């Protein structure tokens, strides 16, 4: 790999002599080898990942050979995504993650993020790990875009609104953030849980100051969710019930907490609540630089 990385320039003779034929062979085999030969497809996925690493940042180039290589990589990933074997699908996600690392503007998040959200409810741990690892990387660069694509998917699909729901709050209003809190509460794999926490941290740091109400209601739902049927309202219902006068804040919050949610929530585990408290502290730290968050009169004027 180190040798190939040195020769993988923008379409030079050594590139055409080694990397390009290997990539073409991977694509040809993915198209010709039957899906039942899962071990071959798994090996091809690992080979594709090695080739992407070899070409590296050159994938951002505009030369004809690089554009062809980039397209071949995307086609290979699409073929592996449709494979019935979960490990091959996980290899496809890992390859797309590498492509986004080296050539982010050539990876379509409009289709990738919904696919990752669908993978979060997969019964296969390997697939869920790959999806969360990819979301972790995407959230470090494009947290807002990732959140918007995921929220659109959850709002438009009743199936994922039911299956991808988070804790307490209505999943159609908390989107990927609420789903990740729910995933964090269900999972026991330490690597996956660590990546979920990193993803939520990145999204919080990028969006909390601008989406303060949404994050506060999500954290509130996590901390106050119980196994009783009498729990919190959705964030939008609580917003509509907020008082017009600042003197009625405490009374409104008390009334909101007494109303019943349509569907009972499940009490989250203690590690999830502890993490939610940590998120609350980070939200408070993010608000310190903006006096509007701490001055109700000025906030009302805005």
């Amino acid at each position: 790999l180190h040798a190939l990385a040195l020769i993988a320039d923008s379409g030079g003779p050594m590139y055409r002599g080694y990397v390009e034929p290997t990539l073409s062979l991977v694509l040809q085999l993915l198209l010709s080898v039957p899906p039942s030969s899962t071990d071959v497809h798994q090996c091809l996925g690992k080979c594709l990942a090695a080739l992407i690493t070899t070409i590296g940042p050159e994938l951002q180039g505009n030369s004809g050979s690089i554009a062809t290589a980039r397209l071949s990589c995307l086609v290979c990933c699409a073929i592996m995504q449709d494979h019935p074997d979960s490990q091959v699908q996980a290899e496809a996600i890992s390859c797309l993650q590498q492509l986004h690392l080296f050539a982010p503007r050539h990876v379509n998040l409009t289709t990738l993020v919904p696919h990752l959200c669908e993978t979060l409810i997969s019964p296969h741990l390997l697939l869920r790990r790959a999806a969360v690892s990819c979301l972790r990387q995407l959230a470090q660069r494009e947290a807002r875009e990732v959140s918007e694509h995921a929220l659109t998917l959850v709002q438009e699909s009743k199936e994922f609104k039911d299956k991808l729901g988070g804790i307490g709050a209505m999943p159609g209003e908390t989107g990927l953030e609420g789903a990740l809190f729910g995933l964090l509460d269900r999972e026991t794999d330490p690597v996956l849980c660590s990546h979920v926490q990193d993803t939520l941290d990145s999204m919080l740091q990028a969006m909390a100051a601008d989406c303060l109400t949404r994050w506060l209601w999500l954290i509130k739902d996590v901390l106050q969710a119980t196994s009783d049927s009498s729990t919190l309202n959705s964030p939008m219902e609580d917003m509509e019930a907020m008082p017009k006068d600042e003197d009625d804040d405490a009374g409104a919050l008390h009334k909101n907490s007494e109303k019943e949610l349509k569907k009972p929530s499940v009490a989250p585990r203690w590690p999830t609540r502890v993490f939610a408290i940590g998120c609350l502290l980070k939200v408070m730290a993010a608000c310190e630089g903006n006096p509007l968050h701490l001055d109700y009169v000025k906030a009302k004027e805005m």
Side-chain angles (χ1 to χ4, degrees):
L1 281 181
H2 292 296
L4 286 174
L6 293 175
I7 64 175
D9 54 15
S10 56
M14 296 296 284
Y15 170 84
R16 289 192 295 270
Y18 292 93
V19 178
E20 193 173 25
T22 306
L23 184 57
S24 299
L25 178 61
V26 170
L27 177 58
Q28 179 183 350
L29 290 174
L30 283 173
L31 290 170
S32 59
V33 175
S36 57
S37 302
T38 56
D39 53 343
V40 176
H41 283 261
Q42 292 170 8
C43 291
L44 291 172
K46 295 184 183 300
C47 185
L48 177 62
L51 287 170
I52 294 173
T53 302
T54 298
I55 304 173
E58 296 294 337
L59 284 166
Q60 301 181 56
N62 296 319
S63 64
S65 58
I66 291 297
T68 301
R70 191 168 56 236
L71 179 60
S72 297
C73 291
L74 291 171
V75 173
C76 289
C77 290
I79 295 172
M80 291 191 296
Q81 281 180 293
D82 289 335
H83 197 279
D85 182 69
S86 60
Q87 186 170 338
V88 177
Q89 296 175 26
E91 292 290 346
I93 293 176
S94 298
C95 290
L96 288 169
Q97 181 178 348
Q98 287 180 277
L99 280 171
H100 181 266
L101 177 64
F102 295 123
R105 63 190 182 91
H106 295 286
V107 177
N108 187 2
L109 296 186
T110 306
T111 56
L112 177 57
V113 172
H115 175 68
L116 296 176
C117 290
E118 295 173 5
T119 307
L120 290 180
I121 60 176
S122 169
H124 303 287
L125 174 61
L126 193 66
L127 262 178
R128 298 198 303 275
R129 266 192 182 183
V132 173
S133 177
C134 189
L135 285 170
R136 175 173 173 255
Q137 176 179 301
L138 297 178
Q140 292 174 356
R141 288 185 176 184
E142 297 154 311
R144 188 177 300 278
E145 189 174 353
V146 169
S147 178
E148 290 174 354
H149 288 313
L151 186 60
T152 301
L153 170 71
V154 177
Q155 288 177 334
E156 293 178 352
S157 173
K158 185 181 184 302
E159 177 185 0
F160 293 110
K161 182 180 288 189
D162 295 336
K163 293 184 179 181
L164 200 61
I167 300 173
M170 298 298 289
E173 293 160 357
T174 57
L176 179 60
E177 298 89 324
L180 289 174
F181 265 109
L183 188 65
L184 179 64
D185 197 57
R186 295 189 300 269
E187 292 290 345
T188 56
D189 181 69
V191 175
L192 195 152
C193 289
S194 175
H195 287 176
V196 169
Q197 291 180 352
D198 291 343
T199 305
L200 284 168
D201 280 337
S202 296
M203 299 182 77
L204 187 150
Q205 292 173 11
M207 302 170 57
D210 296 330
C211 306
L212 181 60
T213 301
R214 179 177 170 186
W215 275 94
L216 287 177
W217 283 117
L218 175 58
I219 294 171
K220 178 188 175 187
D221 280 348
V222 174
L223 294 177
Q224 292 191 351
T226 68
S227 56
D228 300 329
S229 61
S230 179
T231 57
L232 299 175
N233 290 320
S234 69
M236 293 302 105
E237 289 172 338
D238 279 332
M239 282 295 293
E240 292 173 358
M242 287 296 287
K244 303 301 180 181
D245 193 324
E246 59 269 25
D247 295 334
D248 296 331
D249 282 354
L253 288 175
H254 178 69
K255 291 178 181 178
N256 289 337
S257 64
E258 293 178 346
K259 293 182 179 180
E260 291 188 353
L261 187 64
K262 295 179 181 178
K263 183 171 62 175
S265 60
V266 178
R269 297 181 299 172
W270 277 109
T272 306
R273 297 192 183 202
V274 171
F275 178 73
I277 293 174
C279 290
L280 179 60
L281 294 175
K282 292 175 183 178
V283 170
M284 293 169 64
C287 294
E288 287 181 352
N290 190 342
L292 287 177
H293 291 310
L294 305 176
D295 191 322
Y296 191 80
V297 176
K298 290 183 178 180
K300 284 186 66 177
E301 293 175 355
M302 294 295 292

